[in-house]
């Protein structure tokens, strides 16, 4: 087990598009990060799903690397970050927000499959490193940031929050 | 340089309440995806972007103050979100380049 008190930096910053798709058959949502010059908008069938394009946002993805020990955390399973505004006591994120109070901002790390049908989400190591990284960047000692995986939301499709994405910048394509 | 000095010397209009914190630098961007990778804590962010996403990004990287160029003004719910997050918002009537030049003349880098 590492004894390094990691000092994280962003590495492998990739610019591209966060593409959101929906299945008009079952209502499922899926997203992926595309580095193509123009975000794909094709409809296609994948198994039982009929995916259609819902939205595309300019976005970035990145990994984290410890400046001290060189450990790298792969964050390719994270599609974006959302500032949670949830205060629903019926949702685990909402309960956490109520418990931690106004001085703590909760950011939800969004994975590709909002249904979590396959059980996968942003890794625990990724969530831990993101929390450490963003708190290391804070100059204001009176506040803190907590990053949680989107599987913690009661229903991510209905979750209230603000996704960090460049909304509207691809509307002319 | 303190926020108060920047406010007084560049003629900013405050859109929220603010604490007189020390600003450590300047970052100029209209893309939130760029801000989370490039802006630094306690810096001044100069932008035209008034969307809620901007506040979510500025809060994440601990921006000290946001200045909207060309008299841009965010909607009331954006101002409310900034107040909750403790992010100071200001507006200037001049364009981004002219305001950046003012900051440079003040010695900000």
């Amino acid at each position: 087990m590492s004894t390094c008190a990691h000092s994280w930096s962003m590495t492998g910053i990739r610019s591209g598009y966060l593409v959101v798709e929906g299945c008009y058959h079952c209502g499922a949502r899926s997203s992926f990060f595309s580095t193509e010059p123009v975000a794909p908008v094709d409809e296609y069938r994948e198994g039982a799903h009929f995916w259609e394009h819902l939205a595309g946002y300019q976005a970035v993805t990145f990994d984290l690397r410890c400046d001290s020990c060189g450990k790298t955390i792969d964050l390719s399973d994270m599609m974006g970050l959302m500032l949670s505004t949830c205060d629903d006591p019926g949702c685990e994120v909402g309960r956490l927000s109520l418990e931690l109070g106004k001085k703590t901002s909760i950011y939800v790390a969004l994975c590709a499959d909002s249904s979590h049908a396959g059980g996968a989400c942003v890794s625990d190591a990724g969530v831990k490193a993101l929390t450490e990284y963003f708190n290391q960047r804070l100059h204001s000692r009176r506040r803190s940031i907590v990053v949680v995986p989107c599987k913690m939301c009661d229903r991510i499709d209905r979750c209230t929050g603000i996704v960090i994405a460049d909304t509207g910048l691809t509307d002319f394509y | 340089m303190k926020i108060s000095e920047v406010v007084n010397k560049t003629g900013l209009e405050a859109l929220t309440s603010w604490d007189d914190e020390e600003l450590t630098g300047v970052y100029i961007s209209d893309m939130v995806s760029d801000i989370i990778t490039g802006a630094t804590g306690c810096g001044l962010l100069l932008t035209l972007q008034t969307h809620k996403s901007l506040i979510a990004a500025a809060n994440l990287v601990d921006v000290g103050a946001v200045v909207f160029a060309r008299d841009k003004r965010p909607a009331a719910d954006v101002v409310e979100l900034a107040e909750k997050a403790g992010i100071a918002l200001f507006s200037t009537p001049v364009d981004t380049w002219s305001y950046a030049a003012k900051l440079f003349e003040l010695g900000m880098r």
Side-chain angles (χ1 to χ4, degrees):
Chain A
M1 188 174 175
S2 171
T3 55
C4 179
H6 299 300
S7 175
W8 299 109
S9 293
M10 278 189 186
T11 187
I13 297 170
R14 304 171 287 276
S15 296
Y17 298 93
L18 173 61
V19 180
V20 183
E21 298 177 326
C23 173
Y24 55 76
H25 182 64
C26 70
R29 283 192 186 183
S30 176
S31 56
F32 64 93
F33 186 77
S34 169
T35 56
E36 293 180 45
V38 177
V41 294
D42 309 323
E43 289 187 21
Y44 61 97
R45 181 176 178 180
E46 182 185 51
H49 295 299
F50 297 85
W51 298 114
E52 64 177 348
H53 179 266
L54 294 180
Y57 313 110
Q58 274 189 270
V60 292
T61 61
F62 56 87
D63 302 319
L64 292 174
R65 184 178 186 279
C66 175
D67 297 332
S68 302
C69 70
K71 181 177 182 177
T72 299
I73 300 291
D74 179 359
L75 291 169
S76 57
D77 53 3
M78 185 184 73
M79 297 297 112
L81 287 162
M82 177 178 77
L83 172 61
S84 173
T85 56
C86 179
D87 56 3
D88 176 5
C91 171
E92 199 175 342
V93 177
R95 282 199 300 276
L96 183 65
S97 174
L98 293 168
E99 180 189 323
L100 296 176
K102 292 179 179 176
K103 297 297 181 189
T104 301
S105 301
I106 298 177
Y107 283 81
V108 180
L110 304 170
C111 73
D113 180 7
S114 65
S115 71
H116 300 108
C121 192
V122 179
S123 70
D124 291 344
V127 166
K128 182 172 182 289
L130 284 163
T131 297
E132 291 171 354
Y133 170 69
F134 285 115
N135 280 287
Q136 285 167 5
R137 285 180 67 165
L138 289 181
H139 285 64
S140 312
R141 296 287 173 234
R142 62 182 186 278
R143 52 183 292 262
S144 62
I145 285 170
V146 171
V147 180
V148 298
C150 61
K151 67 183 178 187
M152 198 168 154
C153 295
D154 180 39
R155 277 196 61 184
I156 189 66
D157 296 344
R158 290 193 314 193
C159 199
T160 57
I162 302 153
V163 177
I164 299 177
D166 286 292
T167 311
L169 294 184
T170 56
D171 287 357
F172 295 112
Y173 289 104
Chain B
M1 185 175 292
K2 291 278 191 185
I3 291 179
S4 58
E5 196 175 350
V6 176
V7 169
N8 293 332
K9 291 183 175 174
T10 66
L12 292 176
E13 178 189 348
L15 305 176
T16 59
S17 56
W18 51 283
D19 295 328
D20 197 12
E21 295 179 3
E22 186 78 19
L23 295 171
T24 56
V26 181
Y27 197 72
I28 302 174
S29 182
D30 298 324
M31 292 183 65
V32 293
S33 54
D34 178 59
I35 289 164
I36 63 166
T37 57
T40 54
C42 280
L44 183 152
L45 173 64
L46 178 57
T47 186
L48 291 167
Q49 178 66 262
T50 58
H51 193 270
K52 265 187 179 180
S53 252
L54 179 97
I55 307 301
N59 181 59
L60 185 61
V61 296
D62 203 23
V63 163
V66 177
V67 176
F68 301 108
R70 290 180 61 86
D71 219 14
K72 298 283 182 191
R73 282 150 202 277
D77 59 341
V78 179
V79 174
E80 185 184 348
L81 182 67
E83 285 277 13
K84 278 184 187 171
I87 298 172
L89 304 183
F90 299 93
S91 182
T92 178
V94 302
D95 63 83
T96 304
W97 167 246
S98 302
Y99 191 75
K102 282 188 181 190
L103 293 174
F104 195 85
E105 285 167 10
L106 283 179
M108 291 195 74
R109 300 292 186 265

Short mmCIF file of all heavy atoms in Angstrom, two decimals, chain A residues 91-123:
data_model
loop_
_atom_site.label_atom_id
_atom_site.label_comp_id
_atom_site.label_asym_id
_atom_site.label_seq_id
_atom_site.Cartn_x
_atom_site.Cartn_y
_atom_site.Cartn_z
N CYS A 91 -32.51 10.79 -1.62
CA CYS A 91 -31.35 10.47 -2.47
C CYS A 91 -30.09 10.52 -1.61
O CYS A 91 -29.93 11.42 -0.77
CB CYS A 91 -31.26 11.49 -3.61
SG CYS A 91 -29.74 11.37 -4.58
N GLU A 92 -29.19 9.59 -1.82
CA GLU A 92 -27.97 9.53 -1.01
C GLU A 92 -27.13 10.80 -1.17
O GLU A 92 -26.51 11.28 -0.22
CB GLU A 92 -27.16 8.29 -1.40
CG GLU A 92 -26.15 7.88 -0.34
CD GLU A 92 -25.44 6.57 -0.70
OE1 GLU A 92 -25.94 5.82 -1.55
OE2 GLU A 92 -24.36 6.34 -0.12
N VAL A 93 -27.10 11.33 -2.41
CA VAL A 93 -26.34 12.57 -2.65
C VAL A 93 -27.00 13.75 -1.93
O VAL A 93 -26.34 14.58 -1.31
CB VAL A 93 -26.21 12.86 -4.16
CG1 VAL A 93 -25.48 14.18 -4.39
CG2 VAL A 93 -25.48 11.73 -4.87
N GLY A 94 -28.33 13.80 -1.99
CA GLY A 94 -29.07 14.84 -1.30
C GLY A 94 -28.85 14.78 0.21
O GLY A 94 -28.66 15.81 0.87
N ARG A 95 -28.86 13.57 0.75
CA ARG A 95 -28.62 13.41 2.19
C ARG A 95 -27.22 13.86 2.57
O ARG A 95 -27.02 14.53 3.59
CB ARG A 95 -28.81 11.93 2.60
CG ARG A 95 -30.27 11.52 2.74
CD ARG A 95 -30.41 10.24 3.56
NE ARG A 95 -29.71 9.11 2.96
CZ ARG A 95 -30.22 8.32 2.01
NH1 ARG A 95 -31.43 8.58 1.55
NH2 ARG A 95 -29.54 7.31 1.53
N LEU A 96 -26.24 13.52 1.72
CA LEU A 96 -24.86 13.93 1.97
C LEU A 96 -24.74 15.45 1.96
O LEU A 96 -24.07 16.05 2.80
CB LEU A 96 -23.93 13.31 0.92
CG LEU A 96 -22.44 13.58 1.09
CD1 LEU A 96 -21.91 12.94 2.37
CD2 LEU A 96 -21.65 13.05 -0.11
N SER A 97 -25.43 16.07 1.01
CA SER A 97 -25.42 17.53 0.90
C SER A 97 -25.99 18.17 2.16
O SER A 97 -25.43 19.14 2.70
CB SER A 97 -26.22 17.96 -0.34
OG SER A 97 -26.32 19.35 -0.39
N LEU A 98 -27.11 17.64 2.64
CA LEU A 98 -27.73 18.17 3.85
C LEU A 98 -26.82 17.98 5.06
O LEU A 98 -26.74 18.84 5.94
CB LEU A 98 -29.09 17.50 4.07
CG LEU A 98 -30.17 17.83 3.02
CD1 LEU A 98 -31.37 16.90 3.17
CD2 LEU A 98 -30.61 19.28 3.14
N GLU A 99 -26.13 16.84 5.08
CA GLU A 99 -25.25 16.52 6.20
C GLU A 99 -24.00 17.41 6.22
O GLU A 99 -23.58 17.88 7.27
CB GLU A 99 -24.85 15.05 6.09
CG GLU A 99 -23.91 14.53 7.18
CD GLU A 99 -23.41 13.13 6.84
OE1 GLU A 99 -24.17 12.32 6.27
OE2 GLU A 99 -22.23 12.86 7.11
N LEU A 100 -23.43 17.67 5.04
CA LEU A 100 -22.17 18.41 4.97
C LEU A 100 -22.35 19.93 5.03
O LEU A 100 -21.43 20.65 5.40
CB LEU A 100 -21.41 18.04 3.69
CG LEU A 100 -20.95 16.58 3.60
CD1 LEU A 100 -20.31 16.30 2.25
CD2 LEU A 100 -19.97 16.25 4.72
N GLY A 101 -23.52 20.41 4.64
CA GLY A 101 -23.79 21.84 4.75
C GLY A 101 -23.31 22.66 3.56
O GLY A 101 -22.74 22.13 2.60
N LYS A 102 -23.52 23.97 3.67
CA LYS A 102 -23.29 24.86 2.52
C LYS A 102 -21.82 25.07 2.18
O LYS A 102 -21.50 25.50 1.07
CB LYS A 102 -23.94 26.22 2.79
CG LYS A 102 -25.46 26.17 2.83
CD LYS A 102 -26.05 27.52 3.13
CE LYS A 102 -27.56 27.46 3.14
NZ LYS A 102 -28.17 28.74 3.53
N LYS A 103 -20.93 24.82 3.10
CA LYS A 103 -19.50 25.07 2.84
C LYS A 103 -18.85 23.97 2.01
O LYS A 103 -17.68 24.07 1.64
CB LYS A 103 -18.75 25.25 4.17
CG LYS A 103 -19.22 26.44 4.98
CD LYS A 103 -18.98 27.75 4.26
CE LYS A 103 -19.43 28.94 5.09
NZ LYS A 103 -19.41 30.19 4.30
N THR A 104 -19.60 22.90 1.77
CA THR A 104 -19.06 21.81 0.96
C THR A 104 -19.84 21.70 -0.34
O THR A 104 -21.07 21.63 -0.33
CB THR A 104 -19.14 20.47 1.72
OG1 THR A 104 -18.41 20.60 2.93
CG2 THR A 104 -18.57 19.33 0.88
N SER A 105 -19.13 21.73 -1.45
CA SER A 105 -19.76 21.55 -2.76
C SER A 105 -19.62 20.09 -3.17
O SER A 105 -18.51 19.54 -3.11
CB SER A 105 -19.09 22.44 -3.81
OG SER A 105 -19.18 23.79 -3.44
N ILE A 106 -20.72 19.50 -3.61
CA ILE A 106 -20.69 18.11 -4.06
C ILE A 106 -20.72 18.08 -5.58
O ILE A 106 -21.63 18.65 -6.20
CB ILE A 106 -21.86 17.31 -3.48
CG1 ILE A 106 -21.77 17.29 -1.95
CG2 ILE A 106 -21.87 15.88 -4.03
CD1 ILE A 106 -22.91 16.59 -1.26
N TYR A 107 -19.72 17.44 -6.17
CA TYR A 107 -19.68 17.26 -7.61
C TYR A 107 -19.87 15.78 -7.92
O TYR A 107 -19.22 14.92 -7.31
CB TYR A 107 -18.35 17.76 -8.19
CG TYR A 107 -18.31 19.27 -8.30
CD1 TYR A 107 -18.01 20.04 -7.18
CD2 TYR A 107 -18.60 19.92 -9.48
CE1 TYR A 107 -17.99 21.43 -7.26
CE2 TYR A 107 -18.58 21.31 -9.58
CZ TYR A 107 -18.28 22.06 -8.46
OH TYR A 107 -18.27 23.43 -8.54
N VAL A 108 -20.77 15.50 -8.86
CA VAL A 108 -21.07 14.12 -9.25
C VAL A 108 -20.23 13.79 -10.49
O VAL A 108 -20.32 14.50 -11.50
CB VAL A 108 -22.57 13.96 -9.56
CG1 VAL A 108 -22.87 12.52 -9.98
CG2 VAL A 108 -23.41 14.35 -8.35
N ALA A 109 -19.41 12.75 -10.39
CA ALA A 109 -18.63 12.28 -11.54
C ALA A 109 -19.53 11.39 -12.39
O ALA A 109 -20.04 10.37 -11.91
CB ALA A 109 -17.40 11.52 -11.06
N LEU A 110 -19.76 11.81 -13.63
CA LEU A 110 -20.73 11.13 -14.49
C LEU A 110 -20.04 10.06 -15.35
O LEU A 110 -19.05 10.34 -16.03
CB LEU A 110 -21.41 12.15 -15.40
CG LEU A 110 -22.10 13.32 -14.69
CD1 LEU A 110 -22.52 14.38 -15.70
CD2 LEU A 110 -23.31 12.83 -13.90
N CYS A 111 -20.60 8.86 -15.30
CA CYS A 111 -20.06 7.79 -16.15
C CYS A 111 -20.88 7.70 -17.44
O CYS A 111 -21.83 8.46 -17.64
CB CYS A 111 -20.04 6.46 -15.40
SG CYS A 111 -21.67 5.71 -15.20
N ALA A 112 -20.54 6.77 -18.30
CA ALA A 112 -21.17 6.70 -19.62
C ALA A 112 -22.60 6.17 -19.58
O ALA A 112 -23.45 6.58 -20.37
CB ALA A 112 -20.33 5.82 -20.54
N ASP A 113 -22.89 5.26 -18.67
CA ASP A 113 -24.19 4.58 -18.66
C ASP A 113 -24.98 4.99 -17.42
O ASP A 113 -24.76 4.47 -16.33
CB ASP A 113 -23.97 3.06 -18.67
CG ASP A 113 -25.30 2.30 -18.67
OD1 ASP A 113 -26.36 2.94 -18.78
OD2 ASP A 113 -25.25 1.06 -18.55
N SER A 114 -25.91 5.93 -17.63
CA SER A 114 -26.66 6.45 -16.49
C SER A 114 -27.55 5.40 -15.83
O SER A 114 -27.96 5.54 -14.69
CB SER A 114 -27.50 7.65 -16.92
OG SER A 114 -28.49 7.24 -17.85
N SER A 115 -27.86 4.33 -16.56
CA SER A 115 -28.71 3.27 -15.98
C SER A 115 -27.89 2.35 -15.07
O SER A 115 -28.44 1.64 -14.23
CB SER A 115 -29.34 2.44 -17.09
OG SER A 115 -28.37 1.64 -17.73
N HIS A 116 -26.58 2.36 -15.24
CA HIS A 116 -25.67 1.48 -14.49
C HIS A 116 -26.09 0.02 -14.61
O HIS A 116 -25.91 -0.77 -13.67
CB HIS A 116 -25.58 1.90 -13.02
CG HIS A 116 -25.08 3.30 -12.85
ND1 HIS A 116 -25.87 4.35 -12.45
CD2 HIS A 116 -23.85 3.85 -13.07
CE1 HIS A 116 -25.17 5.46 -12.41
NE2 HIS A 116 -23.93 5.20 -12.78
N ALA A 117 -26.67 -0.30 -15.77
CA ALA A 117 -27.16 -1.66 -15.98
C ALA A 117 -26.02 -2.69 -15.88
O ALA A 117 -26.21 -3.80 -15.39
CB ALA A 117 -27.82 -1.77 -17.35
N GLY A 118 -24.83 -2.30 -16.32
CA GLY A 118 -23.68 -3.21 -16.25
C GLY A 118 -22.97 -3.17 -14.92
O GLY A 118 -22.00 -3.89 -14.71
N GLY A 119 -23.42 -2.31 -14.02
CA GLY A 119 -22.81 -2.21 -12.70
C GLY A 119 -21.60 -1.30 -12.64
O GLY A 119 -21.09 -1.01 -11.56
N ALA A 120 -21.12 -0.84 -13.79
CA ALA A 120 -19.91 -0.02 -13.79
C ALA A 120 -20.24 1.45 -13.58
O ALA A 120 -21.31 1.92 -13.93
CB ALA A 120 -19.17 -0.19 -15.11
N CYS A 121 -19.30 2.16 -12.99
CA CYS A 121 -19.42 3.62 -12.82
C CYS A 121 -17.99 4.14 -12.74
O CYS A 121 -17.03 3.41 -12.98
CB CYS A 121 -20.22 3.94 -11.55
SG CYS A 121 -20.73 5.67 -11.42
N VAL A 122 -17.83 5.40 -12.44
CA VAL A 122 -16.49 5.96 -12.27
C VAL A 122 -15.83 5.23 -11.09
O VAL A 122 -16.45 5.02 -10.05
CB VAL A 122 -16.55 7.48 -12.02
CG1 VAL A 122 -15.15 8.05 -11.82
CG2 VAL A 122 -17.26 8.17 -13.17
N SER A 123 -14.58 4.85 -11.26
CA SER A 123 -13.91 4.00 -10.26
C SER A 123 -13.78 4.71 -8.90
O SER A 123 -13.70 5.94 -8.83
CB SER A 123 -12.52 3.61 -10.76
OG SER A 123 -11.67 4.74 -10.76
#
